Amino acid sequence: MIDFLTDYFSSFQPHSQAEFTIFLVISMIFSALSILLGYKLTRLWSTLIGAGIGFIAGFIIGETIWETSGAGFIAGIVLAVILGAISFFIYKAGVFIMCASMAFTFVYSGLSALINIPALSLVLSIVIAIIAGVVSIIFLRPFIIVTTAIGGSFEFAQSLFSLFPAATQSSQLFGLSWPILLVGSILSVLGIIVQFVTTKKHGKRT
């Protein structure tokens, strides 16, 4: 499934070095915001992630049914608006979508490097993502802080070292090179500390 999506949207990836660099810089900016302001920007992240998931699902469904990219684009926009609105207006639904999707991406990346059975990696990742989504609703503030700090940190490290690929030519653990693991781990700890210090416990949101 993941390989299918990767191949399906490969045409949207940057092709020149300049486009690639711009893409990485933008990714690093958003990752830094997630590391330091993940909890404060929860509604923004959940809305963007919900809209993104909706667009991808809608595009694939629309193009599969009507066999035109135009129909896929329209269906993608519709589902993006629906899921984005749900994530924005129903706070806990947005939190579930955000944390579950981040957990899925992180876990699938690691399992794919350890288990050479794509279907098993996919199923385990989905199960863990659902568990993470449920836990995020129960332990709202701490789980969001930990999830956004770790997710943002490793995304930042991967984007950073993508600019210097020679620095990551080393042995890997969970599909990540040691420089990425080191920088990602340090930033995760710093991000968690900063977010806990700079945020206060809020009342329940719905």
Side-chain angles (χ1 to χ4, degrees), residues 189-206:
V189 173
L190 292 176
I192 290 171
I193 293 173
V194 169
Q195 288 200 55
F196 269 112
V197 170
T198 59
T199 60
K200 298 179 180 179
K201 290 185 178 181
H202 295 274
K204 290 185 177 180
R205 303 186 193 182
T206 56

Side-chain angles (χ1 to χ4, degrees), residues 65-103:
I65 294 176
W66 290 288
E67 299 182 348
T68 64
S69 58
F73 184 80
I74 293 173
I77 292 296
V78 171
L79 268 185
V81 171
I82 293 173
L83 275 184
I86 290 174
S87 299
F88 182 83
F89 291 108
I90 305 177
Y91 183 76
K92 289 185 178 180
V95 169
F96 179 92
I97 292 173
M98 179 186 73
C99 291
S101 62
M102 293 181 71

Side-chain angles (χ1 to χ4, degrees), residues 10-206:
S10 60
S11 60
F12 295 98
Q13 296 177 357
H15 297 290
S16 69
Q17 184 59 42
E19 290 177 346
F20 184 64
T21 301
I22 293 172
F23 175 81
L24 290 177
V25 170
I26 294 174
S27 175
M28 289 169 65
I29 292 173
F30 276 92
S31 298
L33 289 173
S34 180
I35 296 170
L36 300 175
L37 302 171
Y39 180 69
K40 291 183 178 180
L41 298 177
T42 298
R43 199 178 292 274
L44 172 63
W45 300 140
S46 61
T47 301
L48 291 176
I49 291 174
I53 293 174
F55 179 79
I56 292 173
F59 188 93
I60 293 175
I61 293 171
E63 189 173 56
T64 300
I65 294 176
W66 290 288
E67 299 182 348
T68 64
S69 58
F73 184 80
I74 293 173
I77 292 296
V78 171
L79 268 185
V81 171
I82 293 173
L83 275 184
I86 290 174
S87 299
F88 182 83
F89 291 108
I90 305 177
Y91 183 76
K92 289 185 178 180
V95 169
F96 179 92
I97 292 173
M98 179 186 73
C99 291
S101 62
M102 293 181 71
F104 175 85
T105 302
F106 194 77
V107 172
Y108 185 84
S109 177
L111 288 180
S112 296
L114 295 175
I115 305 174
N116 194 25
I117 307 176
L120 179 59
S121 297
L122 179 62
V123 171
L124 290 175
S125 298
I126 291 174
V127 171
I128 294 174
I130 293 173
I131 293 174
V134 173
V135 173
S136 70
I137 294 175
I138 299 173
F139 303 101
L140 206 61
R141 177 172 171 266
F143 198 84
I144 292 174
I145 288 176
V146 171
T147 302
T148 55
I150 293 177
S153 294
F154 281 94
E155 182 64 34
F156 183 93
Q158 286 182 309
S159 297
L160 174 64
F161 284 105
S162 292
L163 295 172
F164 311 99
T168 58
Q169 301 302 315
S170 61
S171 57
Q172 296 190 344
L173 180 65
F174 302 116
L176 299 173
S177 64
W178 287 106
I180 292 177
L181 282 171
L182 178 61
V183 173
S185 299
I186 293 174
L187 290 177
S188 294
V189 173
L190 292 176
I192 290 171
I193 293 173
V194 169
Q195 288 200 55
F196 269 112
V197 170
T198 59
T199 60
K200 298 179 180 179
K201 290 185 178 181
H202 295 274
K204 290 185 177 180
R205 303 186 193 182
T206 56

